[in-house]
């Protein structure tokens, strides 16, 4: 697989900006999620069809300038895909942290796939697992981690990894689940939610974050887990509603349990309202990106306080705007989100009040070439890290991975390397008209097993990056 990397510029402070596209022509290669370590290195989760039978799960690490550090894939007799990733397991951060990647595996029946990599070397730490929730299928979801400030313990026993998704339940339906583990994959707490009366109605959890605004000690006691998703047969409307849940994690020192604090639904009365991604700020405010559907699909962005009370809500009903897939909030309360604009991608910055600061379109120079953004993080300099996939750089009619580092002030526009185009974008976000209602999902306690799973081949692949500097 070649890597094509294009430099977008260098900031006065020395940060470089770039787009990096990895993949072989004619193969399907995608990044879903990304995470940034304490050295501003970028780690990603995805899948590939290059050299695999079906899908192969794909993991990689890039430095802050976009140069690849290592890449590995998992290949078996069927489909393996990574959808989410997070860092955890130590007190020191940086290269000593472990990279945890989560997804699904088709080997021997569908289940959850969990893998553990060494951040510095990219070696698999013999912690490949097939995780099952008493079902034959496990849908994609999100993952997050929290490593409190406890010192002198390595790995940090108070680190928690929270994984969310959905599993088969009843006839043709799903129930959403939350699984909290320690860095050794030992279960700390597990819970699931389903429709209270209909086994044929689905509940799907998409993302989770840890609210640290009430942490009371160096072990993380007082942290909350916030989860977003959507459910069918919603309260008030009977349609699919966006779902949010808040969980306290008491039961002793650190995060030891998951106790429901509240569950809410954001109701869009005409039709569907779904969640895709979320973030939480230092005050416990909750930010959710998703989309509504009535006569068309429209991106929606919400801010709620820690009690689930709506602070502001924005929607864009302009032509060609659809889907919000990613969101991140910085230390000043500015909100960044990304999604689909026709076949291209949109990127927007809002201030803490929900007013638009700038918005951009990302496209190939030929126009109308698919770019899908699925993940977003903010590094220590406040720059945006964005992951997804694109057809722009694949001449074989398939998709390559897409990874981008972009300044938070939106200052870079233009044509780059004869390949990419970033421009201002018309169409504005306005106040939405949804309501918040108390949800009525039923809670259960499924048993999730963590089984060693060595039937997949873990392999390293080397790349020769191609760098075009536009500074």
């Amino acid at each position: 697989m070649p890597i094509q990397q294009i430099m977008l510029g260098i900031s006065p402070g020395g940060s470089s900006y770039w787009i990096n596209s990895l993949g072989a022509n004619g193969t399907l290669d995608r990044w879903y999620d990304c995470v940034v370590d304490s050295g501003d290195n970028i780690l990603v989760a995805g899948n590939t069809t290059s050299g695999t039978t079906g899908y192969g799960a794909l993991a990689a690490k890039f430095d802050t300038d976009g140069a690849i550090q290592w890449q590995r894939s998992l290949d078996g007799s069927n489909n393996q895909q990574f959808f989410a990733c997070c860092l955890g397991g130590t007190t020191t951060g940086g290269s000593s942290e472990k990279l945890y990647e989560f997804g699904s595996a088709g080997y021997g029946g569908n289940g959850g796939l969990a893998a553990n990599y060494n951040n510095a070397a990219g070696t698999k730490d013999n912690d490949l697992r097939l995780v099952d929730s008493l079902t034959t299928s496990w849908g994609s979801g999100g993952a997050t981690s929290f490593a409190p400030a406890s010192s002198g313990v390595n790995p940090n026993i108070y680190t928690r990894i929270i994984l969310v998704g959905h599993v088969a339940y009843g006839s043709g339906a799903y129930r959403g689940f939350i699984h909290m583990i320690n860095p050794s994959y030992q279960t700390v707490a597990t819970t699931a939610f389903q429709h209270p009366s209909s086994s044929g109605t689905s509940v799907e959890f998409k993302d989770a974050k840890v609210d640290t605004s009430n942490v009371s000690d160096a072990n993380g006691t007082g942290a909350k887990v916030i989860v977003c998703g959507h459910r069918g047969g919603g309260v008030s409307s009977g349609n699919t509603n966006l779902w949010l849940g808040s969980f306290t994690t008491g039961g002793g020192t650190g995060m030891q349990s998951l106790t429901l604090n509240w569950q809410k639904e954001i109701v869009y009365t005409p039709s569907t309202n779904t969640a895709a991604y979320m973030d939480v700020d230092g005050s416990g405010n909750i930010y959710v990106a998703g989309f509504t559907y009535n006569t068309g699909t429209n991106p929606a962005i919400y801010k709620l306080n820690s009690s689930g009370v709506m602070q502001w809500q924005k929607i864009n009903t302009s032509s060609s705007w659809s889907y919000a897939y990613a969101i991140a909030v910085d230390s000043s309360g500015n909100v960044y989100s990304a999604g689909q604009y026709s076949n291209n991608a949109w990127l927007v910055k809002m201030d803490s009040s929900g007013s638009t600061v700038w918005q951009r379109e990302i496209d190939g120079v030929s126009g109308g070439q698919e770019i899908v953004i699925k993940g977003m993080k903010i590094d220590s300099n406040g720059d945006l890290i964005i992951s997804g996939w694109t057809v722009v750089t694949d001449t074989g009619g398939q998709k390559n991975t897409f990874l981008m580092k972009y300044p938070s002030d939106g200052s870079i526009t233009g044509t780059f390397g004869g390949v990419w185009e970033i421009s201002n974008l018309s169409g504005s976000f306005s106040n939405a008209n949804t309501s918040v209602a108390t949800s009525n999902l039923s809670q259960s306690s499924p048993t999730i097993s963590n089984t060693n799973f060595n039937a997949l081949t873990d392999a390293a692949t080397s790349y020769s990056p191609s760098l075009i500097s536009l500074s």
Side-chain angles (χ1 to χ4, degrees), residues 260-452:
L260 181 65
N261 185 28
W262 52 256
Q263 56 171 315
K264 303 286 182 71
E265 296 181 27
I266 302 179
V267 181
Y268 178 62
T269 303
S271 189
T272 297
N273 188 18
T274 67
Y277 213 69
M278 68 173 295
D279 205 357
V280 177
D281 68 19
S283 299
N285 296 303
I286 302 162
Y287 304 80
V288 186
F291 51 91
T292 65
Y293 181 84
N294 190 5
T295 57
T297 304
N298 303 118
I301 301 171
Y302 308 95
K303 177 182 178 180
L304 302 94
N305 68 15
S306 60
S307 298
V309 177
M310 186 72 74
Q311 304 301 289
W312 51 257
Q313 49 182 310
K314 301 293 180 179
I315 191 170
N316 196 319
T317 58
S318 305
S319 176
S320 299
W321 286 75
S322 63
Y323 304 108
Y325 286 134
I327 195 167
V329 58
D330 67 20
S331 58
S332 299
N334 297 303
V335 183
Y336 307 86
S337 187
Q340 291 298 112
Y341 179 78
S342 188
N343 283 330
N344 313 325
W346 58 261
L347 180 62
V348 67
K349 176 180 181 178
M350 297 177 178
D351 64 21
S352 59
S353 299
S355 298
T356 298
V357 178
W358 53 256
Q359 51 192 36
R360 303 286 182 261
E361 179 185 4
I362 308 168
D363 194 6
V365 294
S366 299
Q369 296 175 284
E370 182 184 72
I371 302 171
V372 176
I373 294 174
K374 284 291 190 176
M376 180 185 293
K377 296 293 188 296
I378 299 175
D379 70 11
S380 66
N381 295 312
D383 295 321
L384 306 180
I385 307 300
I386 300 167
S387 59
W389 62 83
T390 181
V391 302
V392 171
T393 54
D394 193 311
T395 60
Q398 266 294 354
K399 299 173 176 63
N400 291 162
T401 64
F402 177 88
L403 188 65
M404 180 181 187
K405 182 179 176 182
Y406 192 73
S408 61
D409 63 3
S411 57
I412 292 179
T413 58
T415 300
F416 304 98
V419 179
W420 302 99
E421 185 173 73
I422 301 173
S423 58
N424 296 325
L425 185 58
S426 61
S428 60
F429 281 85
S430 58
N431 292 329
N433 185 26
T434 67
S435 59
V436 178
T438 299
S439 186
N440 65 346
L441 295 184
S442 298
Q443 191 171 1
S444 60
S445 300
T447 300
I448 294 184
S449 62
N450 297 308
T451 306
N452 288 324

Side-chain angles (χ1 to χ4, degrees), residues 1-3 22-24 27 29 31 47-52 56-62 67-75 117 121-124 457-465:
M1 291 181 193
I3 292 181
L22 177 156
T27 64
D29 312 294
W31 294 137
N47 56 55
T48 179
T49 58
S50 178
T52 67
L58 189 63
K61 177 181 179 179
F62 300 82
I68 194 163
Q69 305 300 291
W70 55 259
Q71 183 272 330
R72 302 189 74 86
S73 62
L74 292 173
D75 189 16
Y117 291 90
T123 54
K124 183 172 67 66
T457 301
D458 174 67
T461 304
S462 299
Y463 303 106
S464 299

Side-chain angles (χ1 to χ4, degrees), residues 146 160 162 180 188 210 219-221 223 225 249-250 253-257:
F146 174 52
R160 295 292 181 260
I162 298 96
M180 185 164 70
V188 177
V210 177
N219 299 323
T221 305
V225 173
T249 59
T253 302
M255 300 171 67
Q256 301 293 341
S257 60

